[in-house]
Amino acid sequence: MSLRIIDPGLFSTIQDLGRVGYQRIGVPPSGALDTLSLRMGNALLGQAQGMAGLEMCRVGVRLVVECARLRFCITGADGTATLDGQPLAPWRSHTARAGQELHIGRIRGGAAYLCVQGGFALAPVLGSLSTYTRAGLGGFEGRRLDGGDLLPLALAEAPAGPERLLPHPVPAERSRPLRVLLGPHAEMFTEAAIRTLLSEAYQVTHNADRLGIRLQGTPLEHAGAKEIVSDGNNTGCMQVPGDGQPILLMPDRQTAGGYPKIATVITADLHRLGQVLPGSQLRFEAVAPEQAEMVAWQLERTIAASIGSIQDLA
């Protein structure tokens, strides 16, 4: 009842929708970089959207199935996947038998997800299976996967039934500017800095991981002090250190920090941060809080419609 890892890929970890309620003691939420893709994968398998999946970044895993029957799907960034050398399509379920080899190769995007029916037989830590590697919390032994690991499965044999297809995944909208709320420290930046942020493109540097994404572009000028008394951080906040180059905070970020935050990516666009790559260009668009709430509601309606389109295959 396990998946035997032969090649773990570049950085593969178990992630769910995050560890909520522990920032006050210094524990970040962690969780999937692209929560939308994880949710859709679980919905495709007919299970709770928040169940933990295997998150793979840039390069996927190679593993051997060690259970009677495994039903799984692959969602998120495009990539190449094979089962015993036969190509697999994304956004649909597949079934593997004991001894078969699943190989997910190069991922042409940020994060991809392997969701399995029934999930993984792992114990939650602080209410979540999400892996926070810096503290060794959650997931599989609190770390990224390694060759030789036996990743335990909750089901020895997936129930018989037809495969399922998601014909209409939610569009990725990669070319659209990321929508932000200005603040909470926008007043600590010059008007020119705000105009620059909302009019120029910023390049994603190679210093980008689950903690944060460092951007490079025209420096954002502080109006005065370049540091603050440390206060709380959220995923999607844009910190600006003294050099004026912004940093987008990701799920494993510190829970508090002393750099002023010029803007915050709205909830409905956070999943898009999980698909950015070094060298790509990001643009930002300011919206009002009321608009951010409306967009979040619209996204949930789109997700519901997409899940409603799931169909059984003959």
Side-chain angles (χ1 to χ4, degrees):
M1 289 177 56
S2 65
L3 302 179
R4 176 162 53 88
I5 307 299
I6 298 173
D7 184 341
L10 186 61
F11 195 94
S12 301
T13 58
I14 299 296
Q15 301 291 343
D16 55 24
L17 296 183
R19 185 170 286 108
V20 179
Y22 297 95
Q23 289 201 119
R24 68 186 185 279
I25 58 173
V27 180
S30 299
L33 294 172
D34 180 354
T35 55
L36 176 58
S37 293
L38 177 65
R39 291 175 61 186
M40 300 304 286
N42 281 318
L44 183 54
L45 295 175
Q47 57 198 21
Q49 295 178 28
M51 286 189 68
L54 178 58
E55 179 180 272
M56 301 162 288
C57 297
R58 306 295 296 281
V59 178
V61 300
R62 185 160 63 96
L63 57 84
V64 173
V65 175
E66 295 189 346
C67 69
R69 182 168 57 219
L70 175 77
R71 183 161 289 115
F72 66 94
C73 66
I74 302 166
T75 62
D78 294 335
T80 57
T82 60
L83 183 65
D84 278 355
Q86 297 301 309
L88 297 177
W91 304 105
R92 58 153 290 173
S93 68
H94 302 275
T95 298
R97 305 285 179 172
Q100 289 191 290
E101 181 176 299
L102 173 63
H103 183 204
I104 302 170
R106 185 173 181 82
I107 296 168
R108 296 184 294 273
Y113 294 87
L114 172 66
C115 297
V116 300
Q117 194 165 30
F120 299 101
L122 297 169
V125 175
L126 300 178
S128 171
L129 291 186
S130 285
T131 310
Y132 178 39
T133 58
R134 292 202 162 215
L137 290 179
F140 183 82
E141 299 180 359
R143 59 174 173 80
R144 63 184 181 180
L145 296 185
D146 203 353
D149 287 340
L150 294 176
L151 189 55
L153 298 167
L155 296 179
E157 185 172 8
E163 303 296 354
R164 306 179 83 205
L165 170 69
L166 178 66
H168 303 297
V170 178
E173 295 187 313
R174 290 189 176 92
S175 62
R176 179 179 187 148
L178 287 163
R179 290 162 290 193
V180 298
L181 297 174
L182 293 177
H185 306 125
E187 73 283 353
M188 296 186 67
F189 296 87
T190 65
E191 292 184 4
I194 301 294
R195 287 195 301 271
T196 297
L197 175 66
L198 302 178
S199 62
E200 297 190 14
Y202 281 79
Q203 184 173 347
V204 177
T205 71
H206 286 276
N207 193 349
D209 55 21
R210 288 187 51 85
L211 279 79
I213 300 172
R214 288 185 177 269
L215 305 178
Q216 187 172 28
T218 302
L220 299 175
E221 184 182 6
H222 297 78
K226 298 181 180 180
E227 295 184 358
I228 59 172
V229 176
S230 291
D231 68 356
N233 288 332
N234 289 319
T235 303
C237 280
M238 184 185 293
Q239 286 186 333
V240 184
D243 63 2
Q245 300 297 333
I247 305 170
L248 285 168
L249 302 184
M250 298 297 278
D252 284 359
R253 64 334 189 254
Q254 293 178 325
T255 57
Y259 295 132
K261 295 176 277 286
I262 191 171
T264 304
V265 176
I266 67 172
T267 299
D269 280 358
L270 286 177
H271 67 94
R272 295 175 54 198
L273 296 180
Q275 297 300 341
V276 303
L277 291 173
S280 60
Q281 302 281 327
L282 299 182
R283 290 185 175 274
F284 302 94
E285 173 189 354
V287 297
E290 296 79 10
Q291 185 179 356
E293 292 179 2
M294 181 184 69
V295 170
W297 177 73
Q298 290 173 336
L299 176 61
E300 290 303 316
R301 289 191 63 184
T302 302
I303 291 171
S306 180
I307 292 173
S309 75
I310 293 173
Q311 54 191 239
D312 291 346
L313 298 175

